[in-house]
């Protein structure tokens, strides 16, 4: 088995997920965690360093797993780090992926590195499955349903409403519509009609339920237009039932193979921990990045560009025997 050495850049939910995931991964060895914060303040027993020390690890690290946020961190960090390292990220701003790709491709090709972008589950495994479904069933429609799952952005938006002490927001697919797609029925799908939003709120003392509810359900861009449920709960219930980070969803395609024959392609995920699963996908792509770099296949790569065998620690002959 090949072994590769990796570093983690950024120690939030995803960075912790990579650290945990690497414990199950025999062929990848963690060299260190690199953070913009004082490494002594990170709650970890792994070797931790300030990010300014990273360049001195250039010859010791095969791949960096970039665990910064998509909005502010990755657009800056990923192109900089790709100058000296092979990298993997989970960049999830779908509209900006082409721009992120172009920037990384230029840097990676100039510096003979591999930069794998937008791994994870969406983008990532969901993207791959949308591609498979469409390529295999060219006549048809693809539907993506997200959830049940906790949306970080919507939870933050509710927490900013006056009178809200704590809050979470779960995105729920409309189960009837999911079933209809699976049962080959026609559906009127759009993102708003296909999902509902369920909010759990702990109120500040004195705050009024009706006012808070109204402010949430009419919030433009976040809740307006969606079917939204708001539940008010106490702090103990919040602490015991709403502090995990579950997520998941389903990619479905109804495709016609001939006039009267319909096939349904389905790929689903049910995740107790969104960051730990996202990290697990990024770890598999880190292995692929290291193999591509060894073969000198430099440049930016998405999940569409990497053959599946590269994700596995097993060699191709074993894969043919065991999994084909
Ligand atoms: P976090 O906000 O937890 O962490 C982002 C960065 O913020 C960290 O790398 C860390 O950098 C810094 N940070 C974390 N905690 C603290 C703190 N207490 N104080 C100060 N700084 C802190 O984000 P997540 O790890 O939850 O998510 C990272 C990205 O993963 C998301 O932006 C999202 O785009 C992506 N993602 C992608 C998915 C996919 O399927 N493709 C799915 C889920 C997420 P540093 O250590 O340098 O300070």
């Amino acid at each position: 088995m090949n072994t590769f050495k990796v570093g983690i850049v950024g120690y939030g939910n995803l960075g912790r997920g990579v650290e945990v995931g690497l414990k199950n991964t025999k062929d990848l060895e963690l060299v260190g965690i690199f953070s913009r914060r004082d490494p002594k303040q990170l709650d970890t027993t792994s070797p931790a360093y300030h990010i300014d020390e990273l360049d001195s690890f250039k010859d010791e690290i095969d791949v960096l797993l970039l665990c910064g946020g998509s909005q502010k961190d990755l657009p800056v960090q990923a192109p900089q780090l790709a100058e000296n390292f092979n990298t993997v990220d989970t960049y999830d701003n779908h509209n900006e992926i082409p721009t992120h790709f172009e920037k990384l491709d230029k840097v990676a090709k100039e510096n003979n590195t591999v930069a794998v972008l937008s791994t994870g589950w969406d983008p990532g495994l969901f993207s791959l499955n949308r591609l498979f479904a469409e390529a295999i069933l060219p006549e048809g429609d693809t539907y993506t349903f997200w959830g049940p799952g906790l949306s970080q952005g919507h939870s933050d938006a509710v927490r900013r409403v006056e009178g809200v002490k704590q809050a979470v927001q779960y995105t729920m697919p409309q189960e009837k519509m999911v079933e209809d797609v699976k049962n080959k029925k026609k559906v009127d799908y759009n993102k708003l009609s296909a999902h509902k939003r369920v909010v759990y709120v702990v109120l500040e003392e004195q705050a009024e339920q009706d006012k808070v509810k109204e402010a949430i359900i009419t919030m433009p861009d976040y809740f307006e237009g969606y079917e939204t449920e708001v539940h008010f709960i106490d702090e103990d219930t919040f602490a015991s039932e709403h502090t995990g980070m579950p997520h998941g969803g389903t990619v479905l395609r109804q495709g016609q193979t001939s006039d009267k024959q319909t096939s349904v392609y389905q790929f689903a995920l049910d995740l107790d921990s969104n960051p730990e699963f996202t990290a697990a996908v990024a770890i598999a792509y880190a292995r692929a990045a290291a193999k591509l770099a060894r073969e000198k296949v430099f440049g930016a790569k998405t999940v569409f560009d990497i053959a599946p065998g590269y994700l596995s620690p097993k060699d191709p002959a074993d894969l043919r025997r065991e999994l084909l």
Side-chain angles (χ1 to χ4, degrees):
M1 192 190 290
N2 297 298
T3 57
F4 298 113
K5 294 191 170 171
V6 302
I8 295 173
V9 177
Y11 196 61
N13 299 310
L14 186 63
R16 284 190 293 276
V18 171
E19 184 184 31
V20 168
L22 287 172
K23 297 199 165 95
N24 304 325
T25 313
K26 293 191 179 59
D27 60 324
L28 301 181
E29 184 193 328
L30 179 62
V31 173
I33 295 166
F34 299 85
S35 172
R36 291 162 295 187
R37 285 165 288 158
D38 178 354
K40 289 193 213 69
Q41 284 174 11
L42 301 184
D43 184 17
T44 178
T45 52
S46 303
Y49 307 92
H50 193 271
I51 197 165
D52 290 348
E53 297 178 72
L54 188 50
D55 281 351
S56 63
F57 286 83
K58 192 176 166 186
D59 298 328
E60 287 178 49
I61 290 178
D62 295 300
V63 187
L64 286 178
L65 286 119
L66 309 188
C67 300
S70 289
Q71 203 186 2
K72 301 242 168 79
D73 301 338
L74 294 175
V76 181
Q77 287 183 335
Q80 278 172 4
L81 295 172
E83 282 183 22
N84 286 322
F85 294 92
N86 303 307
T87 60
V88 173
D89 74 40
T90 65
Y91 185 74
D92 72 353
N93 186 349
H94 290 258
N95 291 339
E96 294 297 320
I97 288 174
T99 308
H100 191 53
F101 179 96
E102 293 303 329
K103 276 203 275 181
L104 285 176
D105 199 42
K106 184 166 183 294
V107 175
K109 283 185 174 147
E110 280 170 5
N111 293 281
N112 290 347
T113 60
V114 176
V116 181
L117 60 141
S118 301
T119 68
W121 61 279
D122 198 359
L125 299 187
F126 271 22
S127 325
L128 267 183
N129 280 281
R130 286 187 285 259
L131 182 150
F132 287 146
E134 194 181 287
I136 293 161
L137 298 168
E139 286 301 312
D141 294 297
T142 301
Y143 306 91
T144 303
F145 294 95
W146 292 275
L150 185 141
S151 160
Q152 206 69 39
H154 285 77
S155 302
D156 287 343
V158 177
R159 282 193 286 270
R160 285 197 298 271
V161 171
E162 201 182 326
V164 172
K165 190 169 187 186
Q166 283 173 305
V168 282
Q169 193 266 192
Y170 299 98
T171 304
M172 316 287 282
Q174 296 285 8
E175 293 299 342
K176 165 86 171 61
M177 194 180 286
V178 177
E179 284 312 305
D180 283 351
V181 176
K182 287 182 187 170
N183 291 325
K184 303 176 184 171
K185 293 186 185 153
K186 287 264 162 265
V187 296
D188 182 18
Y189 172 102
N190 63 56
K191 249 166 107 176
L192 269 72
S193 65
H195 298 91
K196 76 173 173 185
R197 303 200 170 280
V198 180
V199 184
Y200 291 87
V201 172
V202 180
L203 283 177
E204 300 272 15
E205 263 176 57
Q206 325 271 308
E208 288 174 39
Q209 280 197 6
D210 290 351
K211 271 195 186 162
V212 169
K213 183 175 174 182
E214 188 61 17
I216 294 169
I217 64 177
T218 57
M219 197 186 295
D221 300 330
Y222 285 86
F223 293 95
E224 201 178 42
Y226 281 95
E227 180 188 343
T228 301
E229 284 175 21
V230 182
H231 302 277
F232 294 95
I233 56 174
D234 59 40
E235 275 186 279
D236 289 346
T237 311
F238 190 91
S240 64
E241 294 176 17
H242 298 288
T243 48
M245 299 186 84
H247 219 316
T250 313
V251 171
L252 285 155
R253 185 167 176 87
Q254 288 176 341
Q256 287 73 49
T257 47
S258 64
D259 279 355
K260 290 189 181 144
Q261 308 296 328
T262 299
S263 298
V264 174
Y265 181 106
Q266 186 181 155
F267 176 78
L269 290 172
D270 175 357
L271 315 173
D272 277 352
S273 166
N274 179 0
E276 287 188 12
F277 184 81
T278 303
V281 179
I283 289 170
Y285 277 98
R287 178 182 294 120
K291 292 183 192 174
L292 288 167
R294 196 180 48 194
E295 293 172 9
K296 303 191 188 310
V297 186
F298 300 125
K301 313 281 168 202
T302 72
V303 294
F304 297 153
D305 307 315
I306 296 175
Y310 282 66
L311 303 179
S312 173
K314 295 180 178 174
D315 73 44
D318 287 339
L319 286 176
R320 283 192 291 276
R321 253 193 315 273
E322 293 173 25
L323 299 181
L324 260 188

